[in-house]
Amino acid sequence: MLFNSLSYAIFLPIVFLLYWFVFNKNYKYQNVLLLVSSYFFYACWDWRFLFLLVFSTLLDYFTGIKMSEAKSIENKKIWFWLSISVNLGFLGVFKYYNFFADSFAQSIANFGLHVNPWTLKVILPVGISFYTFHGLSYVIDIYKDRIKAEKNFLDYSVFVCFFPLLVAGPIERATHLLPQIQRKRTFDYNRAVDGLRQILWGLFKKVVIADNCAYFANIIFDNADHYSGSTLVLGALFFTFQIYGDFSGYSDIALGTARLFGIDLLKNFAFPYFSRDIAEFWRRWHISLSSWFRDYLYIPLGGSKGGTWMKVRNTFIIFLVSGFWHGANWTFIIWGLLNAIYIMPSIIFNTNRANLDIVASGKYFPSFKDFFQIITTFTLTVFAWIFFRSNTVGQAFAYISTIFSSSLFSIPFFKKGTLSFPTIILVVFFIIIEWRGREQNYAIENMFNKKPFYYRWVFYYILLLLFFLFAGSNQEFIYFQF
């Protein structure tokens, strides 16, 4: 069930009305409704993988209790590693087995040996990376004695399976979400209206910006050998705004939906394309995943305490794992490696916390220095996205080699017609709104709270008009594949 589909437009109001007007006597009844609704939501993708979600939930629930009840460190470790091994085992089989099998066959073929590896003919269970990481953070926190095991299976299940975040995040922490699930929630009109605003903005990002950019990005990347370097640059730019509009749009809809039910989720994006260096970019892009890797991998590896060499080593590990998390393809690993290289100057010279403030705060325009840094960071990011979007490493290098050819200075042109200027205008409009809203505590809708009534509604109607004018097919969100 897609957030941008008619079925979700029917599903959400039904759950909302039942939640506040039928099951509102007790938050436990509301939790039952949320769990049943979440299972239904997930089953709409493929009911056959529902058992995997339930099994993962049961595994972490019981191992968490066993760790809390363990009489010795050794016994606690046994239950801890059982949960880690099984969780990562399922993730490895479904997501990475074919990658390793094919890579092994390709490697030995270089020595003249040919094998036909046995591969799995199954689709990747949607959201497996996200709900697996929910469970992993929970059991790690118990093992580290940061939290106590949750004894109420219903509450824990809602934490793992809450439908707004189930298939593409944000990746929640038990310390943040569980307390909200375990207390009475009262309807707040203003909070619900804020949620609807954020859903509207998320739908605009997805349907108007991302899907229209996707149309041209797909044409260019899928037929890259037919186009000039200048056109390939535009293809990379289209994908850059596609992936941001797509993923941050999903996160906005998820956060807005959760607000309708009186629950706050972790923010996942904070205007990353206005970053002045790569370190700032990763503090603003996919925040829940970046902070997850920081807390559960980077710091346990030693973090920044062991000198420059350890910081460099740990940073490369984090970005390589992050690339691998995104997909079983060498393109993602190179994308992670590139970002690790990009961030090295900040790590080596200890400037990775240099840009903690809001860029050009209180100003209409950035300074020349800020503008130069934003453009430089954005250019490096666009270049890395080429690997992320390409199907193979060879395709990525061929794409890049064409960009750095003499055809880079030609006029961009498509065989299927000239460039879609309406889409470019929409992207420019999107950038302007994002720039104006960057100081509004992340939530773009807050920009209009203090504006006159007519001002706000003119903007909302513009978004709705653009939504209906430029809505294409209901494309899946990019991060469903991860």
Side-chain angles (χ1 to χ4, degrees), residues 73-92:
I73 294 297
E74 290 73 18
N75 198 24
K76 189 177 183 180
K77 283 183 178 180
I78 290 173
W79 289 108
F80 171 73
W81 284 110
L82 172 66
S83 177
I84 297 296
S85 301
V86 175
N87 272 304
L88 294 181
F90 272 115
L91 189 62

Side-chain angles (χ1 to χ4, degrees), residues 250-439:
Y250 179 96
S251 295
D252 282 336
I253 298 171
L255 269 66
T257 300
R259 283 185 190 178
L260 294 179
F261 298 99
I263 293 174
D264 291 319
L265 300 180
L266 296 170
K267 69 178 182 180
N268 221 13
F269 291 87
F271 311 104
Y273 288 159
F274 300 140
S275 300
R276 288 152 291 181
D277 58 49
I278 294 298
E280 183 184 6
F281 175 83
W282 281 105
R283 289 195 298 272
R284 295 177 175 273
W285 177 275
H286 203 346
I287 299 168
S288 63
L289 180 66
S290 299
S291 61
W292 197 101
F293 279 127
R294 179 197 66 207
D295 295 342
Y296 298 107
L297 189 57
Y298 183 77
I299 292 176
L301 285 171
S304 305
K305 295 180 179 179
T308 302
W309 160 244
M310 181 172 285
K311 287 193 292 185
V312 169
R313 184 202 66 180
N314 294 344
T315 300
F316 268 97
I317 291 173
I318 289 297
F319 278 102
L320 289 175
V321 173
S322 177
F324 201 47
W325 179 89
H326 279 85
N329 193 321
W330 287 105
T331 55
F332 296 114
I333 295 174
I334 292 178
W335 169 79
L337 181 63
L338 270 175
N339 278 281
I341 294 171
Y342 289 166
I343 206 172
M344 276 303 108
S346 297
I347 298 298
I348 293 172
F349 297 106
N350 201 30
T351 59
N352 55 313
R353 308 293 292 180
N355 294 310
L356 298 177
D357 58 324
I358 298 172
V359 60
S361 180
K363 302 176 182 178
Y364 283 108
F365 302 103
S367 65
F368 177 79
K369 177 183 177 182
D370 286 340
F371 180 75
F372 177 78
Q373 291 177 331
I374 290 171
I375 292 299
T376 301
T377 304
F378 181 76
T379 301
L380 292 173
T381 302
V382 172
F383 183 81
W385 283 137
I386 294 173
F387 286 93
F388 195 96
R389 172 58 180 81
S390 299
N391 296 320
T392 65
V393 174
Q395 184 187 78
F397 279 116
Y399 195 101
I400 293 167
S401 66
T402 302
I403 288 178
F404 289 102
S405 67
S406 58
S407 64
L408 175 62
F409 304 101
S410 62
I411 298 175
F413 185 79
F414 291 109
K415 287 184 177 179
K416 293 189 177 183
T418 57
L419 190 64
S420 174
F421 288 102
T423 301
I424 293 178
I425 293 171
L426 286 171
V427 170
V428 172
F429 170 74
F430 173 58
I431 293 171
I432 293 171
I433 297 299
E434 289 256 308
W435 178 260
R436 290 289 306 277
R438 73 193 187 284
E439 296 186 80

Side-chain angles (χ1 to χ4, degrees), residues 41-61:
F41 177 83
Y42 192 81
C44 286
W45 300 103
D46 194 326
W47 63 268
R48 294 171 298 176
F49 288 119
L50 191 58
F51 86 92
L52 194 61
L53 174 61
V54 175
F55 176 82
S56 177
T57 305
L58 286 168
L59 171 71
D60 296 330
Y61 171 75

Side-chain angles (χ1 to χ4, degrees), residues 167-178:
V167 295
I171 300 171
E172 274 290 343
R173 309 292 181 87
T175 51
H176 179 253
L177 184 55
L178 261 175

Side-chain angles (χ1 to χ4, degrees), residues 53-293:
L53 174 61
V54 175
F55 176 82
S56 177
T57 305
L58 286 168
L59 171 71
D60 296 330
Y61 171 75
F62 283 112
T63 53
I65 292 175
K66 289 296 183 181
M67 280 192 289
S68 290
E69 296 175 347
K71 303 298 183 182
S72 65
I73 294 297
E74 290 73 18
N75 198 24
K76 189 177 183 180
K77 283 183 178 180
I78 290 173
W79 289 108
F80 171 73
W81 284 110
L82 172 66
S83 177
I84 297 296
S85 301
V86 175
N87 272 304
L88 294 181
F90 272 115
L91 189 62
V93 168
F94 281 101
K95 192 169 182 177
Y96 301 111
Y97 172 79
N98 289 351
F99 169 75
F100 283 118
D102 290 337
S103 296
F104 174 76
Q106 214 168 28
S107 297
I108 65 173
N110 294 330
F111 297 97
L113 301 174
H114 298 280
V115 296
N116 294 315
W118 179 77
T119 56
L120 297 174
K121 305 299 181 183
V122 296
I123 60 174
L124 180 68
V126 66
I128 187 171
S129 296
F130 289 93
Y131 66 73
T132 297
F133 271 38
H134 286 147
L136 287 176
S137 67
Y138 173 75
V139 296
I140 293 172
D141 283 346
I142 293 174
Y143 181 73
K144 297 290 186 180
D145 294 321
R146 295 168 185 155
I147 60 173
K148 298 292 184 182
E150 176 54 52
K151 299 295 180 66
N152 187 307
F153 181 69
L154 172 63
D155 292 349
Y156 177 73
S157 298
V158 174
F159 157 69
V160 175
C161 306
F162 186 38
F163 71 88
L165 57 76
L166 179 56
V167 295
I171 300 171
E172 274 290 343
R173 309 292 181 87
T175 51
H176 179 253
L177 184 55
L178 261 175
Q180 298 183 73
I181 293 170
Q182 295 169 323
R183 64 173 178 246
K184 179 178 174 59
R185 300 175 286 275
T186 56
F187 181 73
D188 185 327
Y189 173 80
N190 292 325
R191 194 179 190 184
V193 170
D194 283 344
L196 289 173
R197 290 192 187 112
Q198 193 159 12
I199 291 172
L200 175 61
W201 183 241
L203 285 171
F204 172 79
K205 283 178 167 181
K206 166 59 179 170
V207 176
V208 178
I209 300 300
D211 287 356
N212 281 285
C213 286
Y215 173 77
F216 295 105
N218 291 340
I219 290 175
I220 295 171
F221 272 89
D222 294 343
N223 303 277
D225 53 334
H226 296 149
Y227 296 123
S228 65
S230 58
T231 304
L232 297 193
V233 169
L234 285 170
L237 288 170
F238 277 129
F239 179 72
T240 296
F241 286 100
Q242 176 199 351
I243 193 170
Y244 174 55
D246 193 287
F247 193 23
S248 68
Y250 179 96
S251 295
D252 282 336
I253 298 171
L255 269 66
T257 300
R259 283 185 190 178
L260 294 179
F261 298 99
I263 293 174
D264 291 319
L265 300 180
L266 296 170
K267 69 178 182 180
N268 221 13
F269 291 87
F271 311 104
Y273 288 159
F274 300 140
S275 300
R276 288 152 291 181
D277 58 49
I278 294 298
E280 183 184 6
F281 175 83
W282 281 105
R283 289 195 298 272
R284 295 177 175 273
W285 177 275
H286 203 346
I287 299 168
S288 63
L289 180 66
S290 299
S291 61
W292 197 101
F293 279 127

Side-chain angles (χ1 to χ4, degrees), residues 16-44:
F16 176 82
L17 292 173
L18 290 173
Y19 184 86
W20 288 118
F21 297 102
V22 178
F23 293 83
N24 59 326
K25 301 298 181 183
N26 191 307
Y27 77 89
K28 294 180 181 179
Y29 300 153
Q30 292 177 322
N31 288 347
V32 171
L33 174 66
L34 288 180
L35 183 60
V36 172
S37 302
S38 298
Y39 283 152
F40 174 79
F41 177 83
Y42 192 81
C44 286

